[in-house]
Amino acid sequence: RLDPALEASAYFIVAALTRTDGDAMVDVNIHHEPAQLVIDVRAGAPPELTEVEDRVGALSGQLAVNQTPAGDTHVQVGLPCA
């Protein structure tokens, strides 16, 4: 099991990235690699990133945001596991 603080942070990051207006489709994939927890979120509309950037930065994590050719937003977060 992961550190409870890391689990809580991952929960709040996913919650922030999946807040949508209306019926927007969101796809979430979370997996554990040897040194990090990876959160992938694909959404039809760009999410608000301020809260996410703050949490990821506080955990010395990585954040990447890309637009797909279809106009969807792909956000990938890597959180280090101690």
Side-chain angles (χ1 to χ4, degrees):
R1 181 159 182 173
L2 297 172
D3 176 66
L6 180 62
E7 287 182 0
S9 291
Y11 170 83
F12 285 111
I13 289 168
V14 170
L17 290 173
T18 57
R19 272 187 227 128
T20 64
D21 293 331
D23 298 334
M25 179 72 113
V26 178
D27 180 42
V28 177
N29 182 1
I30 302 172
H31 63 278
H32 184 242
E33 294 181 353
Q36 68 178 346
L37 182 69
V38 178
I39 302 168
D40 279 304
V41 176
R42 294 179 189 271
E48 172 56 48
L49 294 174
T50 304
E51 178 183 347
V52 174
E53 290 170 332
D54 290 346
R55 282 193 184 270
V56 172
L59 296 168
S60 299
Q62 299 174 336
L63 174 67
V65 181
N66 297 296
Q67 291 292 116
T68 67
D72 295 337
T73 303
H74 177 216
V75 179
Q76 186 174 60
V77 175
L79 302 176
C81 298

